[in-house]
Amino acid sequence: RLIVHVPLIVPPGCALRVGAETREWREGEALIFDDSFEHEAWNRSDAPRVVLIFEIWRPELNEQERRAVTNMYEAIHAFAPS
């Protein structure tokens, strides 16, 4: 799966790091990343940040692989709910 961030309200000082790459959010510009890589996001301002977040399938996965990934994430969430 891939994670999509669509920044809606972005004060200065907000960014996302995936692996060794850091990107500042820009309102209305989507960032897509694989969250199996180490990642972190921050808001270093005093103002609220609003980001629409959703998941999409990696295009190279077939239906059987998608089911396997779904089962894996369901097992992870059942073991350690967030």
Side-chain angles (χ1 to χ4, degrees):
R1 70 178 185 168
L2 298 171
I3 305 300
V4 181
H5 283 196
V6 180
L8 304 174
I9 300 172
V10 183
C14 294
L16 171 72
R17 179 190 61 79
V18 179
E21 190 170 337
T22 300
R23 298 278 174 98
E24 290 188 10
W25 280 307
R26 294 186 198 146
E27 290 181 8
E29 291 186 20
L31 293 171
I32 301 173
F33 65 97
D34 182 336
D35 73 338
S36 67
F37 290 88
E38 180 185 18
H39 60 282
E40 66 177 326
W42 57 87
N43 176 0
R44 295 190 174 129
S45 77
D46 293 331
R49 170 192 71 199
V50 178
V51 179
L52 173 65
I53 301 173
F54 57 95
E55 301 171 4
I56 59 175
W57 286 112
R58 296 186 66 93
E60 68 272 15
L61 294 180
N62 64 39
E63 190 60 36
Q64 182 179 6
E65 292 167 324
R66 289 178 182 186
R67 279 194 303 275
V69 171
T70 299
N71 291 340
M72 178 189 69
Y73 279 108
E74 287 174 353
I76 290 169
H77 289 295
F79 180 72
S82 54

